[in-house]
Amino acid sequence: MRIVDVREVTKPIASPIRNAYIDFSKMTTSLVAVVTDVVRDGRRVVGYGFNSNGRYGQGGLIRERFRDRLLAADPNSVLNEAGDNLDPHKLWAAMMTNEKPGGHGERSVAVGTLDMAIWDATAKIAGVPLFRMLAAQKGREADPRVFVYAAGGYYYPGKDHTALRAEMRGYLDRGYTVVKMKIGGAPIGEDQARIEAVLAEIGREAQLAVDANGRFDLETGIAYAKMLRQYPLFWYEEVGDPLDYALQAALAEFYPGPMATGENLFSHQDARNLLRYGGMRPDRDWLQFDCALSYGLVEYLRTLDVLHQLGWSPSRCIPHGGHQMSLNIAAGLGLGGNESYPDLFQPYGGFPDSVKVENGHIVMPELPGIGFEGKSDLIKVMRALAE
Ligand SMILES: O=C([O-])CC(=O)C(=O)O
Ligand SMILES: [Mg+2]
């Protein structure tokens, strides 16, 4: 049993939207395929992966370093103990050979993308959904019912309150009970009017989260906190620079409600620093580390260990990214839920075709691997790469 090929291609996920920091007019993702010599149900097992929005495709790093290390590893050295499957932890170590610690940069995105494909292949070789495999490995009961929320509310040309309200109404109509919008890309008074328009639209049917995408300095973050705390928000997200733990800690004095952050922390060491120094509150705050940007699930398991050591429950994690990989982790390892972008970043985001959002939750179908085969537009693009 071995990996015979690793393919990669850069794909556009561009759209005319903008958050407080970047626009997505040139956004790309890396799509990768890990091709094995294993056959299941008459078909060669191929694992697929891609990175989340927000960082760009990582073809250069994958081609120049990580792909070759996977292919160069002695096939017997990267099998599990029983010798009947690949071992994602050993493959991860092979990929990270001769990489210094710290400075996580974007190699964490390249590795996270390949790691997703490796776990997909591994669960397909085992013939089980990834979430069931993860739960079994941890001696837990899987819970296929997962909370999901609808992320959107971006800025884009010509988007007035009517369009923003219609977007949010669309999410409610599709079964979501929490919706998210961007702030920090307009003056505070304008953002407040946008928030009030959305709150008037959703009423008691749903809750609203707001996301500043790391735009604010402390003074602005506090000014927004004072404005926002009069509303019953689901959370106030990524207020300041992701690595400014002192800023995050200071905000707690001005914002008693839930806050969320972590999507731009790419290692368990950075996650640990957030929990050590960021003043995050385990009874109400949310952690958004996204394995597809941060060295994959092998590393995310280390992050969950850090959480455990520092007194945090995995149920405080609702990852960024809206991909099926995090849905599997949520269902298998007891996370609090997952992000979803109902109208964006297709075909990569979202759920298998048979899945519907009901009362803010989805139920995972019983598909081997991550479940990409259940999403027809996505698997078509994937198979074009490798099958
Ligand atoms: O706009 C983005 O970069 C995505 C984001 O922050 C989120 O989904 O929370
Ligand atoms: Mg965010």
Side-chain angles (χ1 to χ4, degrees), residues 40-78:
R40 290 283 179 271
D41 299 326
R43 190 184 260 281
R44 190 163 62 166
V45 171
V46 181
Y48 295 103
F50 51 86
N51 61 273
S52 299
N53 72 80
R55 303 283 152 169
Y56 296 83
Q58 300 294 324
L61 289 179
I62 292 170
R63 283 193 302 277
E64 288 177 12
R65 300 217 295 278
F66 298 109
R67 173 185 185 276
D68 289 352
R69 289 186 195 142
L70 281 179
L71 292 172
D74 171 1
N76 291 323
S77 74
V78 292

Side-chain angles (χ1 to χ4, degrees), residues 19 22 24 53-54 149 151 154 180 182 211 213 237-238 263 288 320-321 339 341:
N19 65 31
I22 63 165
F24 287 75
N53 72 80
Y149 74 92
Y154 282 82
K180 185 163 95 181
K182 298 298 173 182
D211 185 357
N213 285 95
E237 174 176 333
E238 209 178 28
E263 71 179 62
Q288 300 174 294
H320 164 271
E339 182 166 21
Y341 306 95

Side-chain angles (χ1 to χ4, degrees), residues 193-224:
R194 291 170 65 246
I195 288 166
E196 290 194 347
V198 170
L199 289 174
E201 181 66 40
I202 66 178
R204 289 166 172 273
E205 292 170 71
Q207 268 191 292
L208 174 65
V210 297
D211 185 357
N213 285 95
R215 179 81 270 180
F216 299 151
D217 58 16
L218 183 58
E219 208 179 325
T220 314
I222 291 171
Y224 267 78

